[in-house]
Amino acid sequence: MVSFLGGTGLIVGLVLGVIGAIDGFPLDMMGAAAAALATGVVLVRHPRHRDRRPLPVPAYGTLLHPRPTETQEQLAAAEEAIVAELRASAARERTRRARVALLVSVSYAALQERDYLRAHVSARLALELKKTSIEAGLAYAIAAAGLGNAQQAHSRLGVIRRSVGLQTLATKWGAAWALSLLDDWDCEGLLQQLRDVRPEIATFASLLALAQLHRHKLQSAIENAAKGVALEPANRASVLLLAHVLLLAGRATDAAARLDPLQDYARTDASTAFLMVRLRLMQRDTAGALQWAGVVQGLDLDGASLIALGQAFGAARLTEPAATFFTAAADAHFAPEANIGFAVVASLRGDRAGARRQLLAALKFEGARLTRGQTIGSLFHEILGRLNGLAEQRLDCTAWIATVPAGSLALAGRSILVCAPSESIARACLETIVTAMQGSESAADLSGVTWRVAPKAQQPTGRCPRACIGW
């Protein structure tokens, strides 16, 4: 209704303005036109939605609360139990409005405890009764994100944006909460608005710092992380975030002031112990770094931290400890990432041929384990980039597209872009990569691969390594 009145005001103002222009711009007519236009703008921009209840704002560090490991059958049974309980509770309410209010209250209370399954079920039942409920929609989006269902979260946030926009504190926070759970750090703008409006809330400051860290705004991240700690000094997660960004900025003394009081806790938490490793390396305390690395290994049962330890010691130019950690990582079946680490160590030692051998060995992905956040695709491109970086010559190249037929061959069914000075070199390059991925001693049979010159838009504009490849 407000938007309709605003639109009407704009139309009236425009009509009066046109009439006034025809009549020689009389002051009374133009004043009325200006007043109608101004009123129309105010009404159109007037928020169409007001928060009826505040969203909970849990402490930073507690937002991500994954459910304990369970089978799909156990999860379905838990969901069915919640549905039965909530339907029975809602049935006792006399009106649909009261039932919706009850379910939304249950959902918000579950969000306060980060019980995302309960919050999701109750919000879904509320939306079944009133599909236009903004409060239920916000809870549904947050809970879906907490359960890892990005499609549901983005879809419901889209509905909210189209219907009322993200103009109120609850809608901004609900969207930022959901997006941060999905590691979608485009929510930085929303978090900045929340920080500006409610500067006293520590969660907004710390979460904004995390978003800025992911968007490579290091100094802004330090500033907001420090504000978060000042607002909530007892929040260990906020302190560790500040220490992390201080280490990234090379401020070892400031980071030590935050981390050294947490040494007892660090002996029980692998991620904090790893911060201690980084701190000691920055302080050039190799013995201390190795001691804390032993703590990390003792806390990490599956061996994934060995890759990070090797990378940290390699970045500090301590190649012998780095190689030791990468060897242990390979033994724990993290071979592709371990071989990339070995290649880096070889490069630091000036052994380009050894680095190339290790990178080719890293292409054997079958049966390998990957650390969190890594995929075969991302590792493949990293390996190829490092192989291309080892080339000493830059030559005039042509791009070809090689189509690998379906079958058991590595890269089967893919179209590969290969840049090389000649087609024969391009073929040899692809053969090397496929053979390495197959893990075989003899060259792979690429007789079924078809080749064609790539379109002009895909041709290299400058000089390339002797041969480079991508998809």
Side-chain angles (χ1 to χ4, degrees), residues 340 365 370 373-384 471:
I340 293 174
F365 298 114
L370 305 181
Q374 291 286 11
T375 65
I376 289 178
S378 64
L379 285 177
F380 180 82
H381 284 289
E382 179 183 353
I383 293 166
L384 294 184
W471 68 53

Side-chain angles (χ1 to χ4, degrees), residues 240-281:
L240 293 174
L241 172 64
L242 177 57
H244 174 54
V245 292
L246 287 171
L247 286 173
L248 290 176
R251 294 168 55 177
T253 302
D254 293 333
R258 303 291 180 177
L259 285 174
D260 284 341
L262 298 176
Q263 291 192 46
D264 289 341
Y265 172 74
R267 291 186 174 87
T268 66
D269 180 74
S271 60
T272 308
F274 183 70
L275 287 179
M276 292 293 186
V277 173
R278 291 172 52 201
L279 174 62
R280 297 296 179 251
L281 288 173

Side-chain angles (χ1 to χ4, degrees), residues 149-161:
N149 196 323
Q151 183 177 2
Q152 285 185 0
H154 284 298
S155 176
R156 183 51 55 175
L157 288 177
V159 171
I160 294 171
R161 282 194 180 96

Side-chain angles (χ1 to χ4, degrees), residues 20-347:
I22 295 173
D23 290 345
F25 300 100
L27 291 178
D28 57 345
M29 182 73 73
M30 299 310 294
L37 286 171
T39 302
V41 170
V42 170
L43 291 176
V44 166
R45 298 186 64 180
H46 187 276
R48 292 173 286 169
H49 168 74
R50 293 184 181 276
D51 294 334
R52 297 179 181 177
R53 68 179 75 214
L55 265 175
V57 185
Y60 174 78
T62 68
L63 298 178
L64 187 62
H65 189 68
R67 290 181 61 80
T69 303
E70 56 190 342
T71 65
Q72 286 297 322
E73 292 76 13
Q74 291 172 325
L75 181 62
E79 182 176 356
E80 289 176 6
I82 296 171
V83 169
E85 174 202 339
L86 295 180
R87 286 195 189 279
S89 297
R92 289 192 286 269
E93 301 295 332
R94 294 184 177 182
T95 65
R96 186 181 72 164
R97 181 175 181 178
R99 290 193 289 273
V100 171
L102 170 68
L103 291 168
V104 171
S105 295
V106 171
S107 187
Y108 276 40
L111 287 178
Q112 177 67 59
E113 301 301 321
R114 274 78 68 212
D115 185 349
Y116 292 120
L117 180 61
R118 186 177 182 82
H120 187 271
V121 172
S122 51
R124 187 184 73 214
L125 295 177
L127 288 170
E128 289 176 1
L129 294 172
K130 186 181 179 182
K131 65 179 180 180
T132 59
S133 172
I134 301 303
E135 290 78 15
L138 284 173
Y140 184 82
I142 296 166
L147 294 172
N149 196 323
Q151 183 177 2
Q152 285 185 0
H154 284 298
S155 176
R156 183 51 55 175
L157 288 177
V159 171
I160 294 171
R161 282 194 180 96
R162 290 189 296 272
S163 57
V164 299
L166 303 179
Q167 302 183 44
T168 67
L169 184 68
T171 53
K172 291 178 193 293
W173 170 227
W177 186 349
L179 293 173
S180 66
L181 289 173
L182 297 173
D183 288 334
D184 184 346
W185 300 111
D186 287 341
C187 65
E188 180 196 352
L190 290 171
L191 290 166
Q192 183 66 65
Q193 294 174 44
L194 291 165
R195 172 83 182 109
D196 293 341
V197 173
R198 298 294 302 274
E200 76 281 7
I201 297 181
T203 297
F204 294 162
S206 295
L207 203 56
L208 173 59
L210 183 62
Q212 290 169 331
L213 175 61
H214 280 88
R215 292 168 69 84
H216 310 293
K217 300 178 181 180
L218 193 56
Q219 297 307 317
S220 296
I222 291 173
E223 179 183 351
N224 284 298
K227 289 177 180 176
V229 172
L231 289 167
E232 204 172 57
N235 188 320
R236 188 185 295 121
S238 295
V239 174
L240 293 174
L241 172 64
L242 177 57
H244 174 54
V245 292
L246 287 171
L247 286 173
L248 290 176
R251 294 168 55 177
T253 302
D254 293 333
R258 303 291 180 177
L259 285 174
D260 284 341
L262 298 176
Q263 291 192 46
D264 289 341
Y265 172 74
R267 291 186 174 87
T268 66
D269 180 74
S271 60
T272 308
F274 183 70
L275 287 179
M276 292 293 186
V277 173
R278 291 172 52 201
L279 174 62
R280 297 296 179 251
L281 288 173
M282 194 169 290
Q283 294 173 328
R284 301 180 183 276
D285 179 5
T286 303
L290 287 170
Q291 182 181 9
W292 278 110
V295 174
V296 174
Q297 288 181 270
L299 294 170
D300 176 28
L301 299 179
D302 70 355
S305 64
L306 293 166
I307 296 295
L309 288 170
Q311 292 170 342
F313 279 85
R317 303 275 175 165
L318 298 171
T319 56
E320 292 302 327
T324 300
F325 289 121
F326 288 133
T327 299
D331 292 340
H333 304 293
F334 293 94
E337 292 169 87
N339 283 317
I340 293 174
F342 283 128
V344 173
V345 170
S347 294

